[in-house]
Amino acid sequence: MDSLITAAARALAAGDPLGALNRVALREDAPALALRGIAMAQLGDLVRAKTLLRRAARAFGPKEAVARARCVVAEAEIALVSRDLGWPQKALGKARATLEAHGDPVNAAYAQYLEVRRLLLIGRLDEAERGLAELDFAPFPPASRAAHELVVAGIAMRRIRTKAARAALARAERAARQAGIPALTAEVENASLALNAPAARLMARGEERLLLLEEVEALLASEALVVDACRHVVRNAGTVILLATRPVLFALARALGEAWPGDVPRGILLARAFRAKHADESHRARLRVEIGRLRAELRTLAGVSATKRGFKLVPRGASEFVVLAPPVEGEYAAVLALLADGESWSSSALAIALGASQRTVQRALEQLAAAGKVQSYGRGRARRWMTPPVPGFPTTLLLPAPLSSV
């Protein structure tokens, strides 16, 4: 490798893309194309970066498998940043295997780190944790260690383990300072801001207030009976009743929880659970059936008693009944939560992250665009959607339940 290529590579490793381009901008050989692609990615021109990396991969000879694998890893990172979640993961796995076989453990580990980041982004935390457990970034450069700790913090935040998240962010901050890369330092700072932003709303006894993630953790560990509208469960002291697949029962539980210790009139329950504007005897009969089902589901945690006006909850053992709701609600709150990270998303990537059909997501985006809440650019498969970040709203800590597919 010649001196200009070596100098450009060192400049990129130090977070200086302009310095790298000064050395290889006019060269068309494979190593220069690869370095130019990485530099353009660091500067934010992801489309140009992807083109250069693909040219570089084709230009490397048949005996340069490691160089081609590194191009694949770089392209995978660009796909992740541009929220192209449909990018072929098999190609990344193959590149990782090639790097491991040829003695490049740093880039092989980085390839797996990208796989873990994708799993974290789409909410597959168990798989992300298993992948992370296979990695040991301790002997690697500071930039790699910082990236690793950011993923550790991201998983801890999703698991609502704030102590572990803060410890990981502190380690990430130290590693980022050692690396001396401004963009990496900024990423750590943004993650810290998300941890210190409101993560949910507490609704109890007719009042409402915002909670930080630490307060959410303390609430879930308390003796209070919690109707969790972020995950559509009812929980108390380690007992969790899943209602995510039973939206009518959850709507009834939430309405009763918001009114506790009072009762809820039957008309309001019909409107909340069935969206019935004019209730008839069939609606009232259905309400009695669903209340019976809810009573059976909650029997270990609370009772549901009839009153003259309607129904009320009677906790068993718990001294308090509260509702935990997302900081922002609405029909398409989950879409807005993902877009609030400031990145541009394709509708297919949003569908993967939300576990919904692409048509359902497209319909949601069209309605949000009509309301002026999101905007798009590009056409066809290149179309991307984005919105300015919502102030004080951590994007993926406590996402609402996925959109129902159509």
Side-chain angles (χ1 to χ4, degrees):
M1 188 176 293
D2 61 54
S3 59
L4 285 178
I5 293 295
T6 302
R10 288 175 177 169
L12 287 175
D16 181 16
L18 293 178
L21 287 175
N22 283 337
R23 293 169 172 84
V24 296
L26 300 179
R27 293 177 52 164
E28 293 292 323
D29 54 298
L33 289 172
L35 293 173
R36 283 167 57 193
I38 296 171
M40 295 308 294
Q42 290 187 8
L43 291 171
D45 190 345
L46 302 182
V47 175
R48 180 63 176 161
K50 187 185 298 184
T51 300
L52 288 166
L53 285 167
R54 288 181 176 177
R55 285 179 57 195
R58 290 193 298 268
F60 281 114
K63 295 184 179 180
E64 297 175 296
V66 172
R68 287 199 304 274
R70 290 172 180 170
C71 289
V72 171
V73 174
E75 187 179 347
E77 183 168 22
I78 291 171
L80 189 67
V81 171
S82 58
R83 298 302 187 258
D84 182 9
L85 302 184
W87 195 84
Q89 295 301 298
K90 288 184 179 179
L92 184 58
K94 188 175 180 180
R96 178 190 166 200
T98 298
L99 293 168
E100 288 176 342
H102 288 79
D104 187 355
V106 173
N107 282 306
Y110 199 75
Q112 184 162 355
Y113 156 76
L114 293 176
E115 293 177 5
V116 172
R117 275 189 61 188
R118 180 181 180 275
L119 292 169
L120 176 61
L121 193 61
I122 62 179
R124 292 160 63 174
L125 300 187
D126 291 339
E127 294 178 52
E129 282 186 320
R130 286 194 294 271
L132 202 63
E134 299 174 4
L135 296 172
D136 179 14
F137 273 84
F140 293 152
S144 297
R145 296 201 304 272
H148 173 263
E149 296 297 346
L150 281 172
V151 175
V152 173
I155 293 175
M157 284 189 278
R158 287 286 196 99
R159 297 289 195 194
I160 317 183
R161 300 169 183 164
T162 54
K163 186 176 181 180
R166 290 194 185 280
L169 287 173
R171 293 192 297 269
E173 183 182 7
R174 289 194 296 270
R177 284 201 305 266
Q178 291 175 11
I181 301 175
L184 186 58
T185 302
E187 189 174 357
V188 175
E189 291 174 353
N190 288 337
S192 299
L193 289 175
L195 186 57
N196 292 314
R201 287 177 297 134
L202 177 67
M203 307 170 72
R205 298 180 180 271
E207 298 182 354
E208 181 178 322
R209 66 184 178 90
L210 291 170
L211 297 181
L212 300 179
L213 196 63
E214 285 176 327
E215 295 173 302
V216 173
E217 184 178 22
L219 174 66
L220 297 182
S222 72
E223 296 298 321
L225 189 58
V226 181
V227 178
D228 187 346
C230 301
R231 290 175 172 81
H232 287 201
V233 301
V234 179
R235 62 174 82 214
N236 173 247
T239 302
V240 178
I241 297 173
L242 303 175
L243 296 177
T245 59
R246 309 189 71 175
V248 171
L249 296 190
F250 185 79
L252 292 173
R254 177 168 179 176
L256 293 169
E258 290 176 3
W260 188 84
D263 61 353
V264 183
R266 289 172 176 81
I268 294 178
L269 290 174
L270 288 168
R272 292 281 295 269
F274 311 129
R275 300 181 182 177
K277 296 181 180 179
H278 305 287
D280 55 26
E281 187 56 36
S282 65
H283 286 102
R284 286 188 284 272
R286 186 183 175 193
L287 177 62
R288 288 193 294 272
V289 170
E290 297 297 344
I291 286 291
R293 290 172 175 166
L294 180 63
R295 188 180 286 122
E297 289 288 339
L298 301 183
R299 62 186 179 278
T300 59
L301 298 182
V304 182
S305 301
T307 65
K308 290 183 178 180
R309 296 195 313 160
F311 296 91
K312 65 179 293 185
L313 281 170
V314 182
R316 304 186 193 281
S319 59
E320 189 71 11
F321 205 123
V322 301
V323 174
L324 187 69
V328 175
E329 289 195 274
E331 188 176 5
Y332 304 124
V335 177
L336 287 173
L338 288 172
L339 292 175
D341 67 355
E343 302 292 346
S344 57
W345 289 69
S346 66
S347 59
S348 60
L350 288 168
I352 292 172
L354 293 169
S357 73
Q358 190 170 347
R359 180 58 193 142
T360 298
V361 172
Q362 288 171 341
R363 188 159 46 244
L365 289 168
E366 289 165 2
Q367 294 192 27
L368 290 170
K373 295 182 179 180
V374 301
Q375 58 187 8
S376 66
Y377 64 90
R379 293 185 178 182
R381 293 185 177 180
R383 193 177 193 187
R384 294 292 185 272
W385 298 85
M386 63 186 304
T387 184
V390 180
F393 181 21
T395 58
T396 54
L397 298 186
L398 293 171
L399 279 177
L403 297 174
S404 58
S405 58
V406 175

